Amino acid sequence: MAPRPVRRRVAVVGTGAIVTGSHLSALAAHADRVELVAAVDVDPARLDAFRAQAPGGVAGYASTGAMLDAVRPDLVLVGTPPSLHREQTVAALKAGAWVLCEKPLCLSLAEYDDIAAAEEASGAYASVIFQHRYGSGAAHARALIAGGDLGAPLVAHCQTTWHRDAAYYAVPWRGRWTTEGGGPTVGHGIHQYDLLLHLLGPWAEIRAMASRLVHDTESEDVSTALVRFENGALATVVNSVLSPDEMSRIRVDCVDATVELTHLYGHRNDDWTYTPARHVSPERAAAWGAPDADVPSSHTAQLGAVLDAWDAGARPPGSGPEARATLEFAAALYKAAFTGRPVRAGEITPGDPFHSSMHGDHPDWAPRGRA
Ligand SMILES: NC(=O)c1ccc[n+]([C@@H]2O[C@H](COP(=O)([O-])OP(=O)(O)OC[C@H]3O[C@@H](n4cnc5c(N)ncnc54)[C@H](O)[C@@H]3O)[C@@H](O)[C@H]2O)c1
């Protein structure tokens, strides 16, 4: 008989939209491996509503420190506004807990360094939520591309064309450099280009533009970028919250096939298409097949992957260098947009203003508006 999996004690920090909407169902789906024991929120009404909705007796706390001292959880799920992620993640790591933190993991590469140091000191790990890496369709595409089955990747497009209205930006922490870290580049499109990086590997150079065309925000509400990958592939990236016809899309043209993902906030196998080049035989194209299972991209899938790594004694996916790479891409896109010059991978190091904040620490920096 297979041994029963270890059941980890879990606490959530922040009981707002994403924790109630996605983390709670992920915890329920893995109820044989996790037990929700505590929740933290500074808003008593939200905390009470969450505790009423959560199964079992979940203890409530008004501060992360008090919860960590009293509960000593194994795993902390962080779903607060982005400016709190570094501090709460570091506190949880120091208390010996693993962390699964909402995107963006933190506001800058400098903040990432603090998290990496806390990981190193504690031996625990912090992963960032990018749930779209974890569906079966993404795993299949990555395996085919990495295995060379589709030929070398040549040209890619990565579009996050979403729509957010003024009411969305009325929430005080949104669209501000010090609280959200930026606009759709770091808040929305980051899901899609995280998946692009997962599919294509390291990037080498980026050129970009950002603008604020509609919203009353500090940050941009649209950005575009041109990217050269280490493998030579070229890509375009669009991060928009101004697009009435909403879509999330990644398309990669390889020598022997185009692979395309079209979805909005989550994908299944059917959202991926493979179009063989004319020179590819039907037998070869048929061998690309489809995944055996149809696992939607979701918090459930990512939580499962983290628990699998834990059980195997391995660093969890979405932590360490993987988490840093996506944050570095965001910082480089902003630096390229704000300085008007190409940015190379690895050039943003301590001392560079774009290392300590996404807007290069310019207190009055504002993206160019409509001409
Ligand atoms: N992965 C995704 O698809 C996805 C989708 C939406 C949001 N998010 C991310 O989730 C995070 C939260 O977003 P949201 O839309 O749920 O926000 P939200 O405002 O609905 O929820 C945030 C919660 O944090 C609480 N909070 C604030 N300060 C706190 C503190 N010091 N300690 C404990 N709790 C505190 C608030 O009271 C609120 O209940 C953000 O980082 C966002 O980018 C991710």
Side-chain angles (χ1 to χ4, degrees):
M1 207 170 75
R4 280 173 67 84
V6 179
R7 202 150 178 249
R8 321 267 178 194
R9 296 168 65 253
V10 181
V12 298
V13 176
T15 58
I18 196 66
V19 169
T20 306
S22 299
H23 289 270
L24 204 48
S25 52
L27 291 167
H30 293 288
D32 56 335
R33 308 177 77 183
V34 290
E35 179 191 7
L36 179 61
V37 293
V40 182
D41 204 299
V42 291
D43 180 334
R46 285 201 176 194
L47 184 60
D48 287 349
F50 177 83
R51 291 175 67 206
Q53 197 180 333
V58 174
Y61 294 87
S63 94
T64 304
M67 180 279 291
L68 290 170
D69 286 345
V71 177
R72 311 303 296 182
D74 299 311
L75 172 65
V76 174
L77 306 179
V78 177
T80 49
S83 57
L84 301 168
H85 290 181
R86 184 252 313 255
E87 170 196 326
Q88 292 168 340
T89 296
V90 166
L93 288 169
K94 280 187 174 161
W98 281 36
V99 177
L100 191 48
C101 177
E102 270 303 338
K103 47 58 57 174
L105 176 59
C106 51
L107 298 186
S108 66
L109 290 167
E111 288 198 358
Y112 172 80
D113 289 346
D114 293 345
I115 291 172
E119 271 195 342
E120 181 76 24
S122 70
Y125 297 109
S127 293
V128 59
I129 296 267
F130 284 123
Q131 67 268 28
H132 302 311
R133 283 187 178 205
Y134 296 89
S136 48
H140 187 63
R142 181 172 143 98
L144 288 176
I145 293 172
D149 298 56
L150 308 180
L154 303 172
V155 189
H157 300 284
C158 175
Q159 289 171 240
T160 302
T161 41
W162 292 2
H163 196 265
R164 296 293 182 268
D165 60 12
Y168 176 87
Y169 280 108
V171 173
W173 60 264
R174 294 205 174 114
R176 303 196 170 277
W177 296 112
T178 52
T179 48
E180 187 168 15
T185 307
V186 79
H188 306 78
I190 196 166
H191 279 296
Q192 241 62 240
Y193 60 74
D194 174 75
L195 179 52
L196 185 75
L197 297 177
H198 191 55
L199 294 175
L200 292 188
W203 59 280
E205 181 185 335
I206 183 164
R207 295 158 196 250
M209 291 186 184
S211 216
R212 185 180 56 226
L213 298 181
V214 171
H215 289 295
D216 183 18
T217 52
E218 282 179 1
S219 63
E220 86 289 357
D221 51 23
V222 59
S223 68
T224 60
L226 301 176
V227 187
R228 186 190 305 280
F229 281 80
E230 267 185 15
N231 63 18
L234 298 183
T236 66
V237 177
V238 177
N239 307 299
S240 162
V241 285
L242 308 178
S243 307
D245 183 10
E246 293 192 292
M247 181 191 284
S248 307
R249 178 170 172 259
I250 289 182
R251 170 180 162 135
V252 183
D253 297 326
C254 302
V255 170
D256 298 330
T258 293
V259 52
E260 183 162 7
L261 165 66
T262 309
H263 69 123
L264 185 53
Y265 301 135
H267 57 75
R268 314 188 66 107
N269 291 349
D270 278 355
D271 298 316
W272 296 78
T273 57
Y274 292 81
T275 307
R278 276 193 288 273
H279 62 261
V280 171
S281 69
E283 296 74 28
R284 183 174 164 211
W288 298 335
D292 294 335
D294 188 3
V295 180
S297 68
S298 64
H299 286 65
T300 299
Q302 179 163 2
L303 177 59
V306 167
L307 294 171
D308 289 348
W310 207 340
D311 290 346
R315 173 179 271 287
S319 68
E322 279 182 20
R324 189 187 189 283
T326 304
L327 208 57
E328 185 193 8
F329 187 92
L333 194 158
Y334 278 119
K335 181 175 180 182
F338 297 173
T339 61
R341 64 171 192 76
V343 173
R344 298 194 159 275
E347 80 168 49
I348 304 180
T349 52
D352 186 316
F354 290 90
H355 186 266
S356 42
S357 79
M358 291 291 166
H359 65 310
D361 280 338
H362 292 301
D364 54 354
W365 187 89
R368 207 166 301 157
R370 214 195 292 260

